[in-house]
Amino acid sequence: MGGRTLISILLLFLCLSESTVVPGRKMRLHHPCKTLVLFFHDIIYNGKNARNATAAIIGAPAWGNKTILAGQNHFGDLVVFDDPITLDNNLHSKPVGRAQGLYLYDKKEIFTAWLGFSFVLNSTDYKGTLNFAGADPLMNKTRDISVVGGTGDFFMARGVATLMTDAFEGEVYFRLRVDIKLYDCWFVPLATAWEWQWVSPGHAKVLSDLNIPSCNKDWNGSLENY
Ligand SMILES: *[C@@H]1O[C@H](CO)[C@@H](O)[C@H](O)[C@H]1NC(C)=O
Ligand SMILES: *[C@@H]1O[C@H](CO)[C@@H](O)[C@H](O)[C@H]1NC(C)=O
Ligand SMILES: *[C@@H]1O[C@H](CO)[C@@H](O)[C@H](O)[C@H]1NC(C)=O
Ligand SMILES: *[C@@H]1O[C@H](CO)[C@@H](O)[C@H](O)[C@H]1NC(C)=O
Ligand SMILES: *[C@@H]1O[C@H](CO)[C@@H](O)[C@H](O)[C@H]1NC(C)=O
């Protein structure tokens, strides 16, 4: 633990001293510092599948109801979900976490939704959350939404997630492939959450004083790239 703490602190100062060379200038990487591909599976309650449904309509327009998605491209329906996340496209693969949040259909003329959800990951590889938000024009083959933040192994992560509808069955099941590209990576995995607790406040303070949005390292999940 002590060794890892030392490495964390050394990297912290390495990172800060690089940043201070050009105070105030925003550093930007134009290639991802981390990529991962995950799938999540949404089984919508339809009045008959209460046992294995992972999503429920919790709000419907006055002309609809909470059992069946409304007409006019489901406009006005609000759905809450707690979906299993898998590494491949098999619903029955061992989940690595849950996708939890909501989507709401927000256009009468075409199928389009707004998404706000978190990936709560709890696997041997990743423990932490990633938070997503954005418009989902779901008839498009690919759609980009924002990765607005993260915690744990994804401390302060930011980036873009490309969604693809990998499969759908009527109005009951769909599966999304999520290609996550992070452009903001912090080196937290080197330290445990406990160690990070006391490194982090000063780090955040100094960075905000310098007006540098983050200490952006070309991080690839291991020390080899330093
Ligand atoms: C991560 O490292 C591997 C091997 O060093 C490299 O092939 C890959 O392109 C790197 N990925 C990113 C996102 O930099
Ligand atoms: C829900 O569970 C039932 C019974 O196990 C199964 O027949 C059905 O295919 C499941 N639905 C989905 C969408 O997996
Ligand atoms: C809910 O709405 C659907 C279609 O919009 C309709 O077919 C169904 O009968 C309605 N269910 C109830 C319980 O009102
Ligand atoms: C994460 O997984 C471990 C091992 O399976 C389990 O003991 C723990 O309760 C899980 N944590 C959460 C927050 O689900
Ligand atoms: C979705 O696809 C339509 C038609 O192909 C295109 O005009 C539109 O720009 C796309 N929207 C997004 C957000 O990619």
Side-chain angles (χ1 to χ4, degrees):
M1 194 170 78
R4 288 167 116 216
T5 310
L6 192 63
I7 291 171
S8 308
I9 293 169
L10 281 175
L11 283 171
L12 170 67
F13 284 113
L14 186 71
C15 178
L16 283 177
S17 56
E18 274 178 18
S19 309
T20 47
V21 174
V22 278
R25 205 168 108 199
K26 296 192 175 185
M27 295 189 296
R28 285 284 181 260
L29 285 180
H30 295 287
H31 57 96
C33 46
K34 177 126 194 85
T35 59
L36 52 157
V37 177
L38 295 167
F39 295 81
F40 71 96
H41 309 260
D42 197 61
I43 302 169
I44 306 152
Y45 176 66
N46 65 355
K48 297 173 206 143
N49 59 351
R51 254 175 57 134
N52 53 4
T54 64
I57 305 170
I58 60 147
W63 56 85
N65 61 53
K66 290 187 221 166
T67 307
I68 303 290
L69 290 163
Q72 301 195 88
N73 297 308
H74 309 337
F75 178 73
D77 279 322
L78 170 59
V79 178
V80 163
F81 60 91
D82 175 20
D83 293 345
I85 302 169
T86 57
L87 296 175
D88 61 16
N89 62 6
N90 187 342
L91 168 63
H92 302 291
S93 296
K94 189 179 186 298
V96 294
R98 309 292 294 189
Q100 298 171 328
L102 56 88
Y103 50 90
L104 49 94
Y105 291 94
D106 54 5
K107 200 165 174 60
K108 277 183 174 174
E109 293 76 18
I110 53 164
F111 268 123
T112 183
W114 191 87
L115 289 169
F117 63 99
S118 299
F119 272 7
V120 181
L121 295 166
N122 184 17
S123 69
T124 45
D125 288 335
Y126 298 111
K127 290 198 180 8
T129 66
L130 277 169
N131 300 309
F132 303 83
D136 178 17
L138 45 96
M139 297 311 286
N140 289 30
K141 192 154 178 277
T142 64
R143 300 85 76 177
D144 283 351
I145 60 169
S146 305
V147 180
V148 295
T151 64
D153 287 348
F154 302 101
F155 178 82
M156 297 277 282
R158 281 191 309 165
V160 169
T162 302
L163 306 180
M164 277 161 272
T165 307
D166 196 51
F168 66 94
E169 287 165 25
E171 311 257 88
V172 177
Y173 173 79
F174 68 78
R175 176 171 69 234
L176 292 184
R177 177 191 157 115
V178 188
D179 283 20
I180 300 166
K181 286 149 286 175
L182 300 179
Y183 293 86
D184 238 345
C185 299
W186 291 48
F187 40 78
V188 185
L190 297 170
T192 66
W194 181 85
E195 286 160 346
W196 190 248
Q197 269 173 10
W198 57 269
V199 176
S200 129
H203 194 177
K205 179 86 174 59
V206 174
L207 289 173
S208 67
D209 287 348
L210 291 173
N211 189 30
I212 292 167
S214 78
C215 182
N216 215 335
K217 299 297 287 186
D218 191 4
W219 176 63
N220 199 356
S222 80
L223 265 174
E224 282 159 35
N225 299 300
Y226 285 95

